[in-house]
Amino acid sequence: MSSQRSQPEAMLFDLDGTLFQTETLLLPAYHATFDELRAKDLFTGETPPEDRILGALGMLLEHIWMRVIPDASIDTRQEADKLLLRYQMEGLQQGQGVLYEGVAETLQVLRDKGIRLFVASNGLEDYVRHVIEAKGLGHLFEGLYSAGQYQTRSKVDLVKILLETHQIQSAWMVGDRSSDVEAGLQNSLTVAACDYAGFRESGELEGAHIRIRNFTELLEYV
């Protein structure tokens, strides 16, 4: 049963697995990336299982590739970075990728309540910006913060920069991975954990103040 909390000044949202059903854009791009890596003789063998990259969502990109292709060279990982982004951008232009149910409507209600909305993602700057724009959410957010733009080593640091830049005194961190929980707790925020993407591992959301199974459930707490 939900219990309402005092309305925060701002809410900070992770992107992948929180607002955006990442796999609907990522997986076609993932397979295209490895097809091209093989064509360029930068990778041999079968494409690594999809669960490797899905399980790594929320990590910094360099850590994602260390998990997906641990034996690959730095050159191969860097090329994989470029190719994956390119194929994802092409996919967005073709209309691929969907938001979770109720995301746009819920964000609009929160904005109408006077809550300032931000994105805080470990992704690349261009990826974050293009997903938000392609899905028609740009007008709802006051700022888009990404590890790729600010070169942060953890989401804790990224969230700290965001809070200080906008002089935010009270906020919620909304996300689906341990990095989101950690970023919220270490910055003294209320943490709302999204338990619907299926990417997380057991125990990742421990410590969160709120756990939701549908994005629209956020409205039950404010």
mmCIF file with all atom_site columns, all heavy atoms in Angstrom, residues 174-186:
data_model
loop_
_atom_site.group_PDB
_atom_site.id
_atom_site.type_symbol
_atom_site.label_atom_id
_atom_site.label_alt_id
_atom_site.label_comp_id
_atom_site.label_asym_id
_atom_site.label_entity_id
_atom_site.label_seq_id
_atom_site.pdbx_PDB_ins_code
_atom_site.Cartn_x
_atom_site.Cartn_y
_atom_site.Cartn_z
_atom_site.occupancy
_atom_site.B_iso_or_equiv
_atom_site.pdbx_formal_charge
_atom_site.auth_seq_id
_atom_site.auth_comp_id
_atom_site.auth_asym_id
_atom_site.auth_atom_id
_atom_site.pdbx_PDB_model_num
ATOM 1  N N   . VAL A 1 174 ? 14.959 8.559  -9.298  1.00 0.00 ? 174 VAL A N   1
ATOM 2  C CA  . VAL A 1 174 ? 14.092 7.496  -9.800  1.00 0.00 ? 174 VAL A CA  1
ATOM 3  C C   . VAL A 1 174 ? 14.874 6.666  -10.808 1.00 0.00 ? 174 VAL A C   1
ATOM 4  O O   . VAL A 1 174 ? 15.318 7.185  -11.840 1.00 0.00 ? 174 VAL A O   1
ATOM 5  C CB  . VAL A 1 174 ? 12.822 8.091  -10.466 1.00 0.00 ? 174 VAL A CB  1
ATOM 6  C CG1 . VAL A 1 174 ? 11.876 6.968  -10.895 1.00 0.00 ? 174 VAL A CG1 1
ATOM 7  C CG2 . VAL A 1 174 ? 12.126 9.071  -9.532  1.00 0.00 ? 174 VAL A CG2 1
ATOM 8  N N   . GLY A 1 175 ? 15.081 5.388  -10.520 1.00 0.00 ? 175 GLY A N   1
ATOM 9  C CA  . GLY A 1 175 ? 15.864 4.549  -11.427 1.00 0.00 ? 175 GLY A CA  1
ATOM 10 C C   . GLY A 1 175 ? 15.714 3.080  -11.130 1.00 0.00 ? 175 GLY A C   1
ATOM 11 O O   . GLY A 1 175 ? 15.026 2.684  -10.181 1.00 0.00 ? 175 GLY A O   1
ATOM 12 N N   . ASP A 1 176 ? 16.381 2.255  -11.946 1.00 0.00 ? 176 ASP A N   1
ATOM 13 C CA  . ASP A 1 176 ? 16.161 0.806  -11.868 1.00 0.00 ? 176 ASP A CA  1
ATOM 14 C C   . ASP A 1 176 ? 17.405 -0.007 -11.523 1.00 0.00 ? 176 ASP A C   1
ATOM 15 O O   . ASP A 1 176 ? 17.335 -1.238 -11.484 1.00 0.00 ? 176 ASP A O   1
ATOM 16 C CB  . ASP A 1 176 ? 15.601 0.294  -13.201 1.00 0.00 ? 176 ASP A CB  1
ATOM 17 C CG  . ASP A 1 176 ? 16.645 0.324  -14.322 1.00 0.00 ? 176 ASP A CG  1
ATOM 18 O OD1 . ASP A 1 176 ? 17.245 1.390  -14.545 1.00 0.00 ? 176 ASP A OD1 1
ATOM 19 O OD2 . ASP A 1 176 ? 16.873 -0.706 -14.972 1.00 0.00 ? 176 ASP A OD2 1
ATOM 20 N N   . ARG A 1 177 ? 18.543 0.638  -11.278 1.00 0.00 ? 177 ARG A N   1
ATOM 21 C CA  . ARG A 1 177 ? 19.758 -0.114 -11.012 1.00 0.00 ? 177 ARG A CA  1
ATOM 22 C C   . ARG A 1 177 ? 20.401 0.334  -9.704  1.00 0.00 ? 177 ARG A C   1
ATOM 23 O O   . ARG A 1 177 ? 20.082 1.395  -9.149  1.00 0.00 ? 177 ARG A O   1
ATOM 24 C CB  . ARG A 1 177 ? 20.772 0.061  -12.160 1.00 0.00 ? 177 ARG A CB  1
ATOM 25 C CG  . ARG A 1 177 ? 20.296 -0.409 -13.525 1.00 0.00 ? 177 ARG A CG  1
ATOM 26 C CD  . ARG A 1 177 ? 19.838 -1.866 -13.553 1.00 0.00 ? 177 ARG A CD  1
ATOM 27 N NE  . ARG A 1 177 ? 20.837 -2.811 -13.160 1.00 0.00 ? 177 ARG A NE  1
ATOM 28 C CZ  . ARG A 1 177 ? 21.659 -3.466 -14.010 1.00 0.00 ? 177 ARG A CZ  1
ATOM 29 N NH1 . ARG A 1 177 ? 21.586 -3.243 -15.297 1.00 0.00 ? 177 ARG A NH1 1
ATOM 30 N NH2 . ARG A 1 177 ? 22.519 -4.342 -13.545 1.00 0.00 ? 177 ARG A NH2 1
ATOM 31 N N   . SER A 1 178 ? 21.371 -0.451 -9.246  1.00 0.00 ? 178 SER A N   1
ATOM 32 C CA  . SER A 1 178 ? 22.060 -0.137 -7.989  1.00 0.00 ? 178 SER A CA  1
ATOM 33 C C   . SER A 1 178 ? 22.759 1.217  -8.057  1.00 0.00 ? 178 SER A C   1
ATOM 34 O O   . SER A 1 178 ? 22.883 1.917  -7.046  1.00 0.00 ? 178 SER A O   1
ATOM 35 C CB  . SER A 1 178 ? 23.070 -1.233 -7.642  1.00 0.00 ? 178 SER A CB  1
ATOM 36 O OG  . SER A 1 178 ? 24.036 -1.379 -8.672  1.00 0.00 ? 178 SER A OG  1
ATOM 37 N N   . SER A 1 179 ? 23.213 1.603  -9.255  1.00 0.00 ? 179 SER A N   1
ATOM 38 C CA  . SER A 1 179 ? 23.872 2.905  -9.404  1.00 0.00 ? 179 SER A CA  1
ATOM 39 C C   . SER A 1 179 ? 22.915 4.049  -9.109  1.00 0.00 ? 179 SER A C   1
ATOM 40 O O   . SER A 1 179 ? 23.322 5.095  -8.593  1.00 0.00 ? 179 SER A O   1
ATOM 41 C CB  . SER A 1 179 ? 24.453 3.054  -10.818 1.00 0.00 ? 179 SER A CB  1
ATOM 42 O OG  . SER A 1 179 ? 23.440 2.915  -11.801 1.00 0.00 ? 179 SER A OG  1
ATOM 43 N N   . ASP A 1 180 ? 21.629 3.849  -9.409  1.00 0.00 ? 180 ASP A N   1
ATOM 44 C CA  . ASP A 1 180 ? 20.629 4.880  -9.115  1.00 0.00 ? 180 ASP A CA  1
ATOM 45 C C   . ASP A 1 180 ? 20.357 4.952  -7.612  1.00 0.00 ? 180 ASP A C   1
ATOM 46 O O   . ASP A 1 180 ? 20.250 6.046  -7.045  1.00 0.00 ? 180 ASP A O   1
ATOM 47 C CB  . ASP A 1 180 ? 19.326 4.574  -9.859  1.00 0.00 ? 180 ASP A CB  1
ATOM 48 C CG  . ASP A 1 180 ? 19.516 4.527  -11.361 1.00 0.00 ? 180 ASP A CG  1
ATOM 49 O OD1 . ASP A 1 180 ? 20.043 5.504  -11.917 1.00 0.00 ? 180 ASP A OD1 1
ATOM 50 O OD2 . ASP A 1 180 ? 19.160 3.507  -11.972 1.00 0.00 ? 180 ASP A OD2 1
ATOM 51 N N   . VAL A 1 181 ? 20.247 3.788  -6.975  1.00 0.00 ? 181 VAL A N   1
ATOM 52 C CA  . VAL A 1 181 ? 20.029 3.749  -5.531  1.00 0.00 ? 181 VAL A CA  1
ATOM 53 C C   . VAL A 1 181 ? 21.205 4.403  -4.812  1.00 0.00 ? 181 VAL A C   1
ATOM 54 O O   . VAL A 1 181 ? 21.026 5.249  -3.921  1.00 0.00 ? 181 VAL A O   1
ATOM 55 C CB  . VAL A 1 181 ? 19.832 2.294  -5.041  1.00 0.00 ? 181 VAL A CB  1
ATOM 56 C CG1 . VAL A 1 181 ? 19.696 2.264  -3.519  1.00 0.00 ? 181 VAL A CG1 1
ATOM 57 C CG2 . VAL A 1 181 ? 18.613 1.663  -5.703  1.00 0.00 ? 181 VAL A CG2 1
ATOM 58 N N   . GLU A 1 182 ? 22.402 4.033  -5.226  1.00 0.00 ? 182 GLU A N   1
ATOM 59 C CA  . GLU A 1 182 ? 23.615 4.594  -4.615  1.00 0.00 ? 182 GLU A CA  1
ATOM 60 C C   . GLU A 1 182 ? 23.680 6.108  -4.810  1.00 0.00 ? 182 GLU A C   1
ATOM 61 O O   . GLU A 1 182 ? 23.984 6.866  -3.874  1.00 0.00 ? 182 GLU A O   1
ATOM 62 C CB  . GLU A 1 182 ? 24.854 3.938  -5.229  1.00 0.00 ? 182 GLU A CB  1
ATOM 63 C CG  . GLU A 1 182 ? 26.169 4.474  -4.671  1.00 0.00 ? 182 GLU A CG  1
ATOM 64 C CD  . GLU A 1 182 ? 27.386 3.948  -5.420  1.00 0.00 ? 182 GLU A CD  1
ATOM 65 O OE1 . GLU A 1 182 ? 27.288 3.709  -6.641  1.00 0.00 ? 182 GLU A OE1 1
ATOM 66 O OE2 . GLU A 1 182 ? 28.435 3.798  -4.786  1.00 0.00 ? 182 GLU A OE2 1
ATOM 67 N N   . ALA A 1 183 ? 23.387 6.562  -6.034  1.00 0.00 ? 183 ALA A N   1
ATOM 68 C CA  . ALA A 1 183 ? 23.453 7.999  -6.325  1.00 0.00 ? 183 ALA A CA  1
ATOM 69 C C   . ALA A 1 183 ? 22.454 8.772  -5.473  1.00 0.00 ? 183 ALA A C   1
ATOM 70 O O   . ALA A 1 183 ? 22.749 9.869  -4.986  1.00 0.00 ? 183 ALA A O   1
ATOM 71 C CB  . ALA A 1 183 ? 23.178 8.250  -7.801  1.00 0.00 ? 183 ALA A CB  1
ATOM 72 N N   . GLY A 1 184 ? 21.277 8.200  -5.282  1.00 0.00 ? 184 GLY A N   1
ATOM 73 C CA  . GLY A 1 184 ? 20.279 8.863  -4.465  1.00 0.00 ? 184 GLY A CA  1
ATOM 74 C C   . GLY A 1 184 ? 20.654 8.902  -3.001  1.00 0.00 ? 184 GLY A C   1
ATOM 75 O O   . GLY A 1 184 ? 20.638 9.964  -2.367  1.00 0.00 ? 184 GLY A O   1
ATOM 76 N N   . LEU A 1 185 ? 21.026 7.756  -2.458  1.00 0.00 ? 185 LEU A N   1
ATOM 77 C CA  . LEU A 1 185 ? 21.329 7.675  -1.029  1.00 0.00 ? 185 LEU A CA  1
ATOM 78 C C   . LEU A 1 185 ? 22.537 8.525  -0.653  1.00 0.00 ? 185 LEU A C   1
ATOM 79 O O   . LEU A 1 185 ? 22.530 9.215  0.370   1.00 0.00 ? 185 LEU A O   1
ATOM 80 C CB  . LEU A 1 185 ? 21.556 6.220  -0.624  1.00 0.00 ? 185 LEU A CB  1
ATOM 81 C CG  . LEU A 1 185 ? 20.337 5.289  -0.730  1.00 0.00 ? 185 LEU A CG  1
ATOM 82 C CD1 . LEU A 1 185 ? 20.713 3.871  -0.322  1.00 0.00 ? 185 LEU A CD1 1
ATOM 83 C CD2 . LEU A 1 185 ? 19.172 5.802  0.105   1.00 0.00 ? 185 LEU A CD2 1
ATOM 84 N N   . GLN A 1 186 ? 23.586 8.497  -1.488  1.00 0.00 ? 186 GLN A N   1
ATOM 85 C CA  . GLN A 1 186 ? 24.795 9.244  -1.144  1.00 0.00 ? 186 GLN A CA  1
ATOM 86 C C   . GLN A 1 186 ? 24.632 10.756 -1.322  1.00 0.00 ? 186 GLN A C   1
ATOM 87 O O   . GLN A 1 186 ? 25.447 11.531 -0.834  1.00 0.00 ? 186 GLN A O   1
ATOM 88 C CB  . GLN A 1 186 ? 25.982 8.725  -1.965  1.00 0.00 ? 186 GLN A CB  1
ATOM 89 C CG  . GLN A 1 186 ? 26.396 7.323  -1.560  1.00 0.00 ? 186 GLN A CG  1
ATOM 90 C CD  . GLN A 1 186 ? 27.827 7.001  -1.958  1.00 0.00 ? 186 GLN A CD  1
ATOM 91 O OE1 . GLN A 1 186 ? 28.676 7.880  -2.088  1.00 0.00 ? 186 GLN A OE1 1
ATOM 92 N NE2 . GLN A 1 186 ? 28.106 5.722  -2.139  1.00 0.00 ? 186 GLN A NE2 1
#
